Amino acid sequence: MTSSRWLVPVLAVLFVPLWASGFIAGKIATGSTDVPAVLFWRFVIALVVMLTAVAVLRPGLPRGRAWLHLAVTALLLQVGQFTFVYSGLASGVPAGLSSLILGMAPLLVGLLTPLLLATRLGVGPVLGLLIGATGVHVVLADDLGAGLGGNLVFPVLGMLSLAAGTLYQKRFNDSTPVVTSVVVQMATSLVATLAAWPFLGADWLPRAPSGWAAVAFLGVVNSAGAFVLMFVLLRLRSTVFVSSLLNLVPATTALVAVPVLGEPLTVQAVLGLGIALVGMFVGLGRVPGLRGRRAVADAAAAPSEQPDGHVVAPAAGGPGCRAGGA
């Protein structure tokens, strides 16, 4: 159908800027707000938004071990990633550079996918990931390590958390309704943040109006919006597809950071964006000679959605088979 044919491209176009906006808003938020408070208000606001969606859509509840899998994903994809990313931003790591380091996650996810998700990769996806990673590196390569010292460990740990959380979400949470998945993860992340708060000595509230605006944006747009899109795309396509889109985030962040944060525009940012675009098209099979093979792989990997909003995974043993799960 025409609507379904255009659904994935539209979601993909929306996903990249929404994901990139998290680095910009995160930099603004951590300028006047302690990192635990940024996390707390991000999770509170996102949870309220998603509970409203639950009241309207009434999705099914997780079953059995799905609760545990969602909690683990929350600790990796939400708490782990953003604790490290925001700590790096607060310690002086530029938004563009932080995005660059997080941009290494797609290559890691793509290379680990065949080992962990029983999905075979062709030449196109691997080549696309490598080209995209090259573009990611070009964006801000001259700034790597410039006066930042050990603070670079924060975005590196955030990158590892993002990669692990993406793979875990795809492997174990693919059959859980998307809205339910986001709600449980936000609630788990909020509980984890509150449990750690007594040991952190942080202020509860942002100290400037810009901080309030930034955490509100992070909660509504970057948490609720971007992660819903991410989980839907992971369900409709593969981890390689989402990884190819994430290759565009560093250059996008670097370009947006120029007018918003005053970070300098470099030739590397423009060149890197072009290279990352090439990598995305190669990885998604949009290059002649790879399209047919990629289309078959996507069709085999894509699950079917039932009228009640649940998703039926491909038959066992197929290239899109989800190992494990609840």
Side-chain angles (χ1 to χ4, degrees):
M1 294 171 50
T2 302
S3 59
S4 61
R5 183 178 66 181
W6 286 103
L7 177 61
V8 171
V10 169
L11 294 181
V13 169
L14 291 174
F15 174 73
V16 173
L18 288 188
W19 193 270
S21 69
F23 295 97
I24 305 297
K27 187 68 174 179
I28 296 173
T30 54
S32 61
T33 310
D34 291 338
V35 170
V38 175
L39 293 171
F40 172 77
W41 289 108
R42 175 190 178 109
F43 297 142
V44 167
I45 295 170
L47 183 58
V48 170
V49 172
M50 295 311 300
L51 284 175
T52 303
V54 166
V56 174
L57 300 176
R58 299 184 180 276
L61 293 175
R63 300 177 182 177
R65 288 183 298 172
W67 291 96
L68 177 60
H69 292 316
L70 289 170
V72 172
T73 304
L75 295 178
L76 292 171
L77 201 56
Q78 305 291 342
V79 179
Q81 178 189 182
F82 293 111
T83 295
F84 293 128
V85 170
Y86 294 158
S87 296
L89 292 172
S91 63
V93 179
L97 180 55
S98 181
S99 178
L100 167 67
I101 296 174
L102 268 289
M104 294 294 104
L107 179 60
L108 185 59
V109 168
L111 295 179
L112 290 178
T113 290
L115 300 177
L116 301 179
L117 300 182
T119 301
R120 290 176 293 179
L121 293 181
V123 175
V126 174
L127 182 59
L129 288 168
L130 291 174
I131 295 173
T134 301
V136 164
H137 180 75
V138 166
V139 175
L140 293 173
D142 286 349
D143 295 331
L144 281 173
L148 296 174
N151 291 332
L152 286 177
V153 72
F154 291 121
V156 170
L157 291 174
M159 180 270 292
L160 295 176
S161 295
L162 170 59
T166 301
L167 288 165
Y168 201 95
Q169 169 70 21
K170 180 65 178 179
R171 175 163 181 156
F172 292 110
N173 301 325
D174 232 17
S175 60
T176 303
V178 171
V179 173
T180 302
S181 181
V182 177
V183 166
V184 174
Q185 289 185 34
M186 293 304 165
T188 302
S189 302
L190 180 58
V191 170
T193 302
L194 290 174
W197 204 293
F199 307 99
L200 303 176
D203 291 335
W204 285 92
L205 302 176
R207 293 183 287 272
S210 60
W212 280 112
V215 296
F217 184 92
L218 289 171
V220 176
V221 178
N222 194 248
S223 284
F227 274 95
V228 166
L229 289 180
M230 179 183 186
F231 295 162
V232 170
L233 288 169
L234 282 172
R235 183 162 300 183
L236 296 176
R237 289 295 184 265
S238 63
T239 55
V240 175
F241 183 94
V242 176
S243 295
S244 298
L245 296 177
L246 287 173
N247 276 330
L248 299 176
V249 170
T252 304
T253 303
L255 293 174
V256 175
V258 175
V260 178
L261 300 178
E263 295 183 3
L265 177 63
T266 63
V267 175
Q268 288 90 335
V270 179
L271 179 61
L273 178 59
I275 296 174
L277 279 168
V278 173
M280 182 189 72
F281 278 94
V282 172
L284 299 182
R286 300 296 187 257
V287 175
L290 298 176
R291 175 177 295 186
R293 187 181 306 173
R294 186 66 193 148
V296 172
D298 276 345
S304 59
E305 186 170 351
Q306 301 302 300
D308 62 358
H310 286 79
V311 172
V312 177
C321 178
R322 177 176 61 88

